[in-house]
């Protein structure tokens, strides 16, 4: 838990970007206002634009107003927070900036006394990571002296196996793995953390959590938004890199992993790695058996007409980048052998919904003869967002003289039970970095394994430059090809 005597300095590279404005500063302010942020602290924002401290503070006041979960209860509280915000203009590629930064930090630390704890946050485009790490190393800022030094890296961690390895090598030239925090904001979501509690603090699920009882698993991350202002980035990424390599594979690991010995970074990371290592390699020459890709066309989302992906700003009119992906993965181990895990992620779908459906097997024998197939088998539904909660479906007798079966749902809604607002993922994760807890972060070897799993899909798609990319109507549940894909195994998508 936070300790009042843990001063720290946070340096944000890429301070004029969206992430700082929409997520980081609002999260830091929420922590401050709820008295969870250790004090005293100093936040140094670095970017190329020339700006005074005052101007930066003014912009951040607006950022908190527009994007903050917690608003300042008074201007006095904001002013106190803002006093700890500084702006340092400079080019992250230029070593001179780091000399200046070092002098600035030393000065702050001297004035406030106590340990010199430093946290460097890379919120820049990933093309700058190498330079930032190099310059932190060469200026001596990567070394811990009289306190801890940590670095946070935002996704994407590379764009394939090779580039991920190169990034890890570069980070490890100057930082120890225990200093590196690779953020995946899905791991900071309350309901994702609850997944671990559901599995490992309840006895009733564990005996059922395996191939003997589970028919298949669906992990869905559906968004209604399109690529918005990020067309240029998205063209290079696509849904597989943007969502599956990180968020969906993390969810898969949390569902499939063996119980770690304790809820600490090393045992949790080790168990997650074992899941990835057990995933059956996808066959490069039979990619259609493992993956479907598609692009959104024009359509209606939430009643509004929207353009198709190829008409978005920054997107090539003949783009082959996927905005939808469905995957089938098998895990070759005792617990999961032959249980398909279907993963799907897409933009401009019918509804914003992230959820995991654990579909149980049918009863082995149906005694209610007029219902030879019984009703739908039991399903455990874990809703990550929105409408966070859990639901379990059961068969029940419909009241009446006939023996009719129906499905009922036991539904637990987070908001109804606990009330109030959950903290944002970035609040939790920033606090964890400050406390040195890497449990909810991605370890370097996990990232490389994740890329390795997707490598055949990426390569097969890259080399196929001619076959048409299926198009789905914006506002729909994806292409018919994805329905046929899962139907081949006798299942269908559960559309929230
Ligand atoms: C990001 C992706 O990692 O996650 C975005 O880059 C995506 O494309 C976002 O929209 C989704 O996050 P959330 O928290 O809104 O589900």
């Amino acid at each position: 838990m936070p300790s009042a005597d843990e001063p720290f300095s946070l340096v944000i590279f890429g301070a004029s970007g969206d992430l700082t404005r929409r997520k980081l500063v609002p999260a830091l302010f929420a922590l401050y206002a709820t008295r969870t942020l250790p004090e005293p602290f100093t936040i140094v924002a670095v970017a190329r634009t020339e700006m005074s401290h005052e101007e930066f503070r003014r912009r951040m006041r607006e950022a908190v107003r527009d994007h903050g979960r917690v608003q300042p209860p008074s201007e006095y509280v904001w002013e106190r927070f803002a006093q700890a915000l500084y702006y340092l203009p400079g080019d992250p590629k230029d070593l001179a900036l780091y000399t200046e930064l070092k002098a600035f930090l030393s000065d702050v630390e001297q004035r406030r006394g106590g340990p010199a704890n430093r946290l460097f946050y890379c919120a820049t485009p990933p093309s700058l990571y190498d330079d930032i790490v190099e310059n932190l190393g060469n200026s001596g800022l990567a070394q811990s002296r009289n306190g801890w030094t940590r670095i946070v890296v935002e996704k994407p961690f590379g764009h394939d196996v090779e580039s991920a390895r190169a990034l890890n090598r570069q980070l490890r030239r100057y930082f120890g793995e225990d200093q590196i925090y690779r953020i995946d904001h899905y791991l900071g979501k309350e309901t994702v953390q609850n997944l671990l509690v559901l599995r490992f603090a309840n006895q009733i699920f564990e005996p059922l959590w395996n191939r003997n009882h589970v028919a298949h698993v669906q992990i869905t991350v559906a968004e209604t938004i399109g690529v918005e202002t990020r067309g240029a980035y998205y063209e290079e990424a696509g849904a597989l890199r943007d969502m599956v390599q990180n968020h969906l594979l993390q969810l898969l690991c949390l569902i499939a992993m063996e119980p770690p010995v304790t809820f600490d970074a090393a045992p949790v990371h080790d168990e997650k790695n074992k899941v990835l290592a057990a995933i059956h390699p996808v066959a490069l020459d039979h990619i259609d058996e493992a993956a479907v890709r598609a692009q959104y066309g024009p359509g209606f989302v939430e009643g509004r007409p929207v353009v198709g992906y190829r008409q978005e700003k920054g997107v090539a009119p003949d783009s082959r980048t996927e905005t939808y992906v469905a995957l089938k993965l098998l895990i070759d181990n005792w617990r999961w052998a032959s249980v398909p895990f279907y993963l799907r992620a897409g933009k401009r779908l019918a509804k914003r919904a992230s959820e995991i459906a654990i579909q149980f097997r049918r009863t082995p024998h149906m005694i209610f003869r007029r219902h030879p197939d019984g009703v739908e088998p039991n399903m455990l539904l874990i809703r990550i967002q929105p409408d966070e909660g859990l639901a379990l479906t059961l068969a029940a007798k419909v009241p009446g003289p006939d023996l009719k079966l129906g499905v009922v749902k036991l539904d637990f809604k987070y908001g109804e039970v606990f009330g109030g607002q959950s903290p944002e993922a970035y609040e939790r994760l920033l606090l964890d970095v400050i406390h040195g807890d890497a449990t909810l972060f991605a370890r370097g070897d996990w990232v490389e394994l994740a890329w390795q799993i997707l490598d055949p899909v990426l390569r097969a798609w890259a080399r196929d430059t001619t076959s048409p990319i299926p198009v789905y109507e914006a506002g729909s549940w994806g292409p018919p090809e994805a329905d046929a894909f899962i139907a081949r195994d006798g299942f269908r998508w559960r559309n929230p």
Side-chain angles (χ1 to χ4, degrees), residues 403-428:
L403 186 64
K404 262 200 194 156
L405 303 190
V407 175
V408 292
K409 205 161 153 190
L410 305 181
D411 203 343
F412 147 69
K413 294 195 168 115
Y414 238 71
E416 279 176 11
V417 176
F418 294 113
Q421 238 183 5
S422 294
E424 285 275 332
Y426 275 95
E427 295 172 35
R428 167 67 197 247

CSV table of all heavy atoms in Angstrom, one decimal, residues 403-428:
chain,number,residue,atom,x,y,z
A,403,LEU,N,-43.7,-30.9,-18.9
A,403,LEU,CA,-42.3,-30.8,-18.6
A,403,LEU,C,-41.6,-30.1,-19.7
A,403,LEU,O,-41.1,-30.7,-20.6
A,403,LEU,CB,-41.7,-32.2,-18.3
A,403,LEU,CG,-40.3,-32.2,-17.8
A,403,LEU,CD1,-40.3,-31.5,-16.4
A,403,LEU,CD2,-39.7,-33.6,-17.7
A,404,LYS,N,-41.5,-28.8,-19.5
A,404,LYS,CA,-40.8,-27.9,-20.5
A,404,LYS,C,-39.6,-27.4,-19.9
A,404,LYS,O,-39.6,-27.0,-18.8
A,404,LYS,CB,-41.7,-26.7,-20.9
A,404,LYS,CG,-42.5,-26.9,-22.1
A,404,LYS,CD,-42.9,-25.6,-22.6
A,404,LYS,CE,-44.0,-25.7,-23.7
A,404,LYS,NZ,-44.7,-24.4,-23.7
A,405,LEU,N,-38.5,-27.4,-20.7
A,405,LEU,CA,-37.2,-26.9,-20.2
A,405,LEU,C,-36.9,-25.5,-20.7
A,405,LEU,O,-37.2,-25.2,-21.9
A,405,LEU,CB,-36.1,-27.8,-20.6
A,405,LEU,CG,-36.2,-29.3,-20.1
A,405,LEU,CD1,-34.8,-30.0,-20.4
A,405,LEU,CD2,-36.5,-29.4,-18.7
A,406,GLY,N,-36.4,-24.7,-19.9
A,406,GLY,CA,-36.0,-23.4,-20.4
A,406,GLY,C,-34.6,-23.0,-19.8
A,406,GLY,O,-34.1,-23.8,-19.0
A,407,VAL,N,-34.1,-21.9,-20.2
A,407,VAL,CA,-32.8,-21.5,-19.7
A,407,VAL,C,-33.0,-20.3,-18.7
A,407,VAL,O,-33.7,-19.4,-19.1
A,407,VAL,CB,-31.8,-21.1,-20.8
A,407,VAL,CG1,-30.5,-20.5,-20.3
A,407,VAL,CG2,-31.6,-22.3,-21.8
A,408,VAL,N,-32.4,-20.4,-17.6
A,408,VAL,CA,-32.4,-19.2,-16.7
A,408,VAL,C,-31.0,-18.8,-16.4
A,408,VAL,O,-30.0,-19.5,-16.7
A,408,VAL,CB,-33.0,-19.6,-15.3
A,408,VAL,CG1,-34.5,-19.8,-15.5
A,408,VAL,CG2,-32.3,-20.7,-14.6
A,409,LYS,N,-30.8,-17.5,-16.0
A,409,LYS,CA,-29.5,-16.9,-15.9
A,409,LYS,C,-29.3,-16.4,-14.4
A,409,LYS,O,-30.1,-15.7,-13.9
A,409,LYS,CB,-29.5,-15.8,-16.8
A,409,LYS,CG,-28.1,-15.4,-17.3
A,409,LYS,CD,-28.4,-14.6,-18.6
A,409,LYS,CE,-27.3,-13.6,-18.9
A,409,LYS,NZ,-27.7,-12.7,-20.0
A,410,LEU,N,-28.2,-16.9,-13.8
A,410,LEU,CA,-27.9,-16.3,-12.5
A,410,LEU,C,-26.9,-15.1,-12.9
A,410,LEU,O,-25.9,-15.4,-13.5
A,410,LEU,CB,-27.1,-17.3,-11.7
A,410,LEU,CG,-27.8,-18.6,-11.4
A,410,LEU,CD1,-26.9,-19.4,-10.4
A,410,LEU,CD2,-29.1,-18.3,-10.7
A,411,ASP,N,-27.3,-13.9,-12.6
A,411,ASP,CA,-26.5,-12.8,-13.1
A,411,ASP,C,-26.0,-11.9,-12.0
A,411,ASP,O,-26.8,-11.4,-11.2
A,411,ASP,CB,-27.4,-12.0,-14.0
A,411,ASP,CG,-26.6,-11.2,-15.0
A,411,ASP,OD1,-25.4,-11.0,-14.8
A,411,ASP,OD2,-27.2,-10.7,-16.0
A,412,PHE,N,-24.8,-11.7,-11.9
A,412,PHE,CA,-24.2,-10.8,-10.9
A,412,PHE,C,-23.6,-9.6,-11.6
A,412,PHE,O,-22.8,-9.7,-12.5
A,412,PHE,CB,-23.1,-11.6,-10.1
A,412,PHE,CG,-21.9,-10.8,-9.6
A,412,PHE,CD1,-22.1,-9.8,-8.6
A,412,PHE,CD2,-20.7,-10.9,-10.2
A,412,PHE,CE1,-21.1,-9.0,-8.2
A,412,PHE,CE2,-19.6,-10.1,-9.8
A,412,PHE,CZ,-19.8,-9.2,-8.8
A,413,LYS,N,-24.1,-8.4,-11.2
A,413,LYS,CA,-23.6,-7.2,-11.8
A,413,LYS,C,-22.8,-6.5,-10.8
A,413,LYS,O,-23.2,-6.1,-9.7
A,413,LYS,CB,-24.8,-6.3,-12.3
A,413,LYS,CG,-25.5,-7.0,-13.4
A,413,LYS,CD,-26.4,-6.0,-14.1
A,413,LYS,CE,-27.0,-6.6,-15.4
A,413,LYS,NZ,-28.4,-6.8,-15.4
A,414,TYR,N,-21.5,-6.2,-11.2
A,414,TYR,CA,-20.6,-5.5,-10.4
A,414,TYR,C,-21.1,-4.2,-9.8
A,414,TYR,O,-21.1,-4.0,-8.6
A,414,TYR,CB,-19.4,-5.2,-11.2
A,414,TYR,CG,-18.1,-5.7,-10.7
A,414,TYR,CD1,-17.8,-7.1,-10.8
A,414,TYR,CD2,-17.1,-4.9,-10.2
A,414,TYR,CE1,-16.7,-7.6,-10.3
A,414,TYR,CE2,-15.9,-5.4,-9.7
A,414,TYR,CZ,-15.7,-6.7,-9.8
A,414,TYR,OH,-14.5,-7.2,-9.3
A,415,GLY,N,-21.7,-3.4,-10.7
A,415,GLY,CA,-22.1,-2.1,-10.3
A,415,GLY,C,-23.2,-2.2,-9.3
A,415,GLY,O,-23.3,-1.4,-8.3
A,416,GLU,N,-24.1,-3.2,-9.5
A,416,GLU,CA,-25.3,-3.3,-8.5
A,416,GLU,C,-24.8,-3.7,-7.1
A,416,GLU,O,-25.3,-3.3,-6.1
A,416,GLU,CB,-26.3,-4.3,-9.1
A,416,GLU,CG,-27.2,-3.7,-10.1
A,416,GLU,CD,-28.1,-4.8,-10.7
A,416,GLU,OE1,-28.2,-5.9,-10.2
A,416,GLU,OE2,-28.8,-4.4,-11.7
A,417,VAL,N,-23.8,-4.6,-7.1
A,417,VAL,CA,-23.4,-5.2,-5.9
A,417,VAL,C,-22.5,-4.3,-5.1
A,417,VAL,O,-22.6,-4.0,-3.9
A,417,VAL,CB,-22.7,-6.6,-6.1
A,417,VAL,CG1,-22.2,-7.1,-4.8
A,417,VAL,CG2,-23.7,-7.5,-6.7
A,418,PHE,N,-21.5,-3.7,-5.8
A,418,PHE,CA,-20.5,-2.9,-5.1
A,418,PHE,C,-20.7,-1.4,-5.2
A,418,PHE,O,-20.2,-0.7,-4.5
A,418,PHE,CB,-19.1,-3.3,-5.7
A,418,PHE,CG,-18.6,-4.7,-5.3
A,418,PHE,CD1,-18.5,-5.6,-6.3
A,418,PHE,CD2,-18.4,-5.1,-4.0
A,418,PHE,CE1,-18.1,-6.9,-6.0
A,418,PHE,CE2,-18.0,-6.3,-3.7
A,418,PHE,CZ,-17.9,-7.3,-4.7
A,419,GLY,N,-21.6,-1.0,-6.2
A,419,GLY,CA,-21.9,0.4,-6.4
A,419,GLY,C,-20.6,1.2,-6.7
A,419,GLY,O,-19.5,0.6,-6.9
A,420,GLY,N,-20.8,2.4,-6.9
A,420,GLY,CA,-19.7,3.3,-7.1
A,420,GLY,C,-19.0,3.0,-8.4
A,420,GLY,O,-19.4,2.2,-9.2
A,421,GLN,N,-17.9,3.8,-8.7
A,421,GLN,CA,-17.2,3.7,-9.9
A,421,GLN,C,-15.9,2.9,-9.7
A,421,GLN,O,-15.2,3.2,-8.7
A,421,GLN,CB,-16.8,5.1,-10.3
A,421,GLN,CG,-17.3,5.6,-11.6
A,421,GLN,CD,-16.8,7.0,-11.9
A,421,GLN,OE1,-16.0,7.5,-11.1
A,421,GLN,NE2,-17.2,7.5,-12.9
A,422,SER,N,-15.5,2.0,-10.6
A,422,SER,CA,-14.3,1.4,-10.4
A,422,SER,C,-13.1,2.3,-10.9
A,422,SER,O,-13.3,3.1,-11.8
A,422,SER,CB,-14.2,0.1,-11.3
A,422,SER,OG,-15.2,-0.8,-10.9
A,423,PRO,N,-11.9,2.1,-10.3
A,423,PRO,CA,-10.8,2.9,-10.7
A,423,PRO,C,-10.5,2.5,-12.2
A,423,PRO,O,-10.7,1.4,-12.6
A,423,PRO,CB,-9.7,2.5,-9.8
A,423,PRO,CG,-10.2,1.6,-8.8
A,423,PRO,CD,-11.6,1.2,-9.1
A,424,GLU,N,-9.9,3.5,-12.9
A,424,GLU,CA,-9.5,3.2,-14.3
A,424,GLU,C,-8.2,2.3,-14.2
A,424,GLU,O,-7.4,2.4,-13.3
A,424,GLU,CB,-9.0,4.5,-14.9
A,424,GLU,CG,-10.1,5.4,-15.3
A,424,GLU,CD,-10.7,5.1,-16.7
A,424,GLU,OE1,-9.9,4.6,-17.5
A,424,GLU,OE2,-11.9,5.3,-17.0
A,425,ALA,N,-8.1,1.5,-15.3
A,425,ALA,CA,-6.9,0.6,-15.4
A,425,ALA,C,-5.6,1.3,-15.1
A,425,ALA,O,-4.7,0.8,-14.4
A,425,ALA,CB,-6.9,-0.1,-16.7
A,426,TYR,N,-5.4,2.5,-15.7
A,426,TYR,CA,-4.2,3.2,-15.6
A,426,TYR,C,-3.9,3.6,-14.1
A,426,TYR,O,-2.7,3.8,-13.7
A,426,TYR,CB,-4.1,4.4,-16.5
A,426,TYR,CG,-3.6,4.0,-17.9
A,426,TYR,CD1,-4.5,3.7,-18.9
A,426,TYR,CD2,-2.3,3.9,-18.1
A,426,TYR,CE1,-4.1,3.3,-20.1
A,426,TYR,CE2,-1.8,3.5,-19.4
A,426,TYR,CZ,-2.7,3.2,-20.4
A,426,TYR,OH,-2.3,2.8,-21.6
A,427,GLU,N,-4.9,3.9,-13.3
A,427,GLU,CA,-4.7,4.2,-11.9
A,427,GLU,C,-4.0,3.1,-11.2
A,427,GLU,O,-3.0,3.2,-10.6
A,427,GLU,CB,-6.0,4.5,-11.3
A,427,GLU,CG,-6.7,5.8,-11.8
A,427,GLU,CD,-8.1,6.0,-11.2
A,427,GLU,OE1,-8.4,5.7,-10.1
A,427,GLU,OE2,-9.0,6.5,-12.0
A,428,ARG,N,-4.6,1.9,-11.4
A,428,ARG,CA,-4.1,0.7,-10.7
A,428,ARG,C,-2.6,0.4,-11.2
A,428,ARG,O,-1.7,0.2,-10.4
A,428,ARG,CB,-5.0,-0.5,-11.1
A,428,ARG,CG,-4.4,-1.8,-10.7
A,428,ARG,CD,-4.3,-2.0,-9.2
A,428,ARG,NE,-3.4,-3.1,-8.9
A,428,ARG,CZ,-3.8,-4.2,-8.3
A,428,ARG,NH1,-5.1,-4.3,-7.9
A,428,ARG,NH2,-3.0,-5.1,-8.0
